[in-house]
Amino acid sequence: MALYITDVCTSCGKCEPLCPNEAISQASDIYVIDPDKCQECQGVYDSPRCASVCPVHCCVKVKEG
Amino acid sequence: MSHEPKTFERKDYQGAIAPKWCPGCGNHGIFKSLTKVYAQLQIPPEKIAVISGIGCSSRLPYYLHTYGFHTLHGRAPTVALGVKVAHPELSVWIISGDGDALAIGGNHFIHFFRHNPDVKLVLFNNQVYGLTKGQASPTSVLQQKTATTPAGVQERPLQAASLALAAGASFVARTIDTHLDHVEAMLLAAARHKGAALVEVLTNCVIFNDGAFTDVEDPVRAADHVVSLRDGEPMVYGKEGELVLKWSDKGELITSNRNADASESWCYDSRSISPTMAYALSQADGRNGPLPIGVLWQREIPTYPVLQTETGSKVEQTMALERILAGSQSWKVSAR
């Protein structure tokens, strides 16, 4: 149970400070979500916070491809 | 021993400093698209010069590993023209914003397209002055509340694409920051065009004008609010592609339902002889009808002459320049 950031990510950094579990960090090219920390915001927000604020909608539930 | 030609990746164009725009700013996406286009075209980083004016947009050259010049407010086109004349082998790009290009730099913007140098102008339009904390810009919309317009903007906004067409631009395109593939396609088309190109990118300012473009940025809502122009195809939009933008008998752009309207749809042609249709589309701002994005107009016309490469050595040119500057009627004033 975790979200995943696709390579569409523009590294804008909007999601990182908003994650309640501090699961998001900047990697070399894009931001990444630590699947061990991500709980899809259950019990905190109605929907995953990163997905709802991402301007390019690249925080997805299932790894694409 | 064979020498494989070096291939460049996107990161080869990125500088040592990570972009310092606000988290969520649309500029991040434009930056990514620009570096992807450079990699796609395999232009060596040392063959690129990126010239900017003043504003949030104009910080971009710092984040690139190419030549760059953060110039005076509104004056990037003049510096870029100089760079292109002196070094025609360079791929020269201008990064500007709605305030930089259309307010203080409005005059230079016009003459840039009149000169038609082989230089690409990427205009980041967020409809507000972000760097100086939220004053109204020439593209701010009617009733928009800003730091300098607490009761709302009273003037009609300027359309950058319309102004460029009026100035005789040879390539005019419009795109939206979150439609990354489209931004990339427009930058690529501009790069391949021989002459001055305008790529206007609507970009969201998350701090001072957040949500200004939600209807056209959101992938679900965009279907009903954006027409993506494609040569040889009707201007279709809507979730099911059920709507079409048409040219009425009265010379207006109107929306028609394809299921109810049996008449044949007019197909778009960015290379049409007259810019009349392109002008009408450039005026459509997405508030009363869909927002047209794509290459609005393009044509092949002579680019700004670069005589230096054609005749004479550098020394001869310098001497010729001195003769021109001195003219036939000049005097030397000496102290007695």
Side-chain angles (χ1 to χ4, degrees):
Chain A
M1 189 176 75
L3 269 81
Y4 163 79
I5 296 177
T6 70
D7 63 2
V8 170
C9 173
T10 64
S11 296
C12 79
K14 193 172 185 182
C15 55
E16 186 191 4
L18 301 174
C19 175
N21 292 332
E22 297 183 355
I24 304 173
S25 59
Q26 189 169 17
S28 62
D29 193 31
I30 59 172
Y31 278 75
V32 291
I33 296 174
D34 182 345
D36 294 334
K37 289 182 180 175
C38 175
Q39 295 183 341
E40 298 187 5
C41 289
Q42 284 189 8
V44 188
Y45 295 106
D46 292 340
S47 61
R49 192 84 173 121
C50 56
S52 62
V53 300
C54 177
V56 293
H57 307 277
C58 70
C59 306
V60 293
K61 283 199 177 180
V62 185
K63 185 169 179 173
E64 289 177 347
Chain B
M1 197 174 116
S2 66
H3 290 278
E4 288 284 320
K6 179 173 168 53
T7 55
F8 299 102
E9 296 170 25
R10 193 173 80 80
K11 65 176 169 53
D12 293 323
Y13 301 93
Q14 290 176 277
I17 309 168
K20 293 280 189 291
W21 292 302
C22 302
C25 176
N27 295 3
H28 292 277
I30 310 172
F31 174 74
K32 182 171 184 176
S33 301
L34 189 65
T35 50
K36 280 176 83 173
V37 166
Y38 290 160
Q40 203 168 332
L41 293 169
Q42 285 293 300
I43 313 170
E46 70 274 15
K47 293 293 179 194
I48 300 171
V50 182
I51 319 296
S52 68
I54 298 294
C56 291
S57 62
S58 301
R59 300 179 55 79
L60 191 139
Y62 292 112
Y63 311 135
L64 289 170
H65 183 60
T66 65
Y67 285 104
F69 195 167
H70 192 180
T71 71
L72 297 175
H73 205 349
R75 272 65 185 164
T78 61
V79 176
L81 188 66
V83 170
K84 190 66 188 176
V85 169
H87 288 281
E89 76 282 8
L90 295 182
S91 174
V92 184
W93 295 69
I94 297 168
I95 305 294
S96 191
D98 42 310
D100 190 58
L102 304 173
I104 194 166
N107 194 4
H108 296 286
F109 183 83
I110 297 167
H111 294 286
F112 170 73
F113 293 109
R114 188 172 66 85
H115 294 315
N116 195 41
D118 191 12
V119 172
K120 319 305 159 194
L121 196 162
V122 188
L123 197 161
F124 294 25
N125 182 4
N126 60 7
Q127 300 183 340
V128 77
Y129 291 165
L131 194 71
T132 52
K133 299 187 184 176
Q135 296 83 2
S137 95
T139 58
S140 294
V141 297
L142 277 169
Q143 306 303 323
Q144 184 178 328
K145 288 197 167 74
T146 73
T148 42
T149 57
V153 169
Q154 314 249 328
E155 306 97 326
R156 287 166 298 118
L158 190 65
Q159 294 298 336
S162 301
L163 186 58
L165 285 168
S170 58
F171 181 101
V172 177
R174 181 154 61 191
T175 183
I176 303 162
D177 59 353
T178 57
H179 299 228
L180 296 169
D181 290 346
H182 195 265
V183 175
E184 210 178 306
M186 290 304 106
L187 293 173
L188 195 61
R192 288 178 172 154
H193 171 73
K194 181 80 177 162
L198 171 69
V199 179
E200 180 193 15
V201 192
L202 302 181
T203 177
N204 189 39
C205 174
V206 283
I207 306 297
F208 298 107
N209 199 16
D210 194 21
F213 306 113
T214 305
D215 282 344
V216 296
E217 281 177 337
D218 184 85
V220 178
R221 289 159 79 168
D224 288 328
H225 292 94
V226 173
V227 169
S228 186
L229 303 172
R230 290 186 184 87
D231 277 343
E233 291 181 24
M235 297 182 284
V236 173
Y237 68 107
K239 285 191 179 65
E240 308 289 329
E242 72 280 16
L243 300 167
V244 64
L245 204 56
K246 284 189 161 187
W247 194 234
S248 82
D249 296 339
K250 291 178 183 171
E252 293 171 315
L253 281 172
I254 51 164
T255 287
S256 177
N257 194 306
R258 294 176 85 195
N259 300 326
D261 183 359
S263 68
E264 202 171 314
S265 296
W266 184 86
C267 288
Y268 191 72
D269 179 14
S270 66
R271 291 183 171 81
S272 64
I273 294 167
S274 161
T276 306
M277 173 60 90
Y279 182 81
L281 293 169
S282 72
Q283 284 284 298
D285 60 1
R287 282 166 203 279
N288 300 303
L291 176 82
I293 62 167
V295 180
L296 300 182
W297 203 51
Q298 56 186 322
R299 60 174 174 162
E300 295 291 327
I301 52 171
T303 59
Y304 189 78
V306 185
L307 297 172
Q308 186 173 306
T309 53
E310 291 167 8
T311 53
S313 67
K314 281 240 172 189
V315 177
E316 284 169 357
Q317 287 155 18
T318 309
M319 288 173 68
L321 182 64
E322 280 170 3
R323 277 201 302 277
I324 291 166
L325 291 174
S328 58
Q329 295 184 336
S330 61
W331 298 267
K332 272 189 181 171
V333 181
S334 56
R336 289 178 181 241

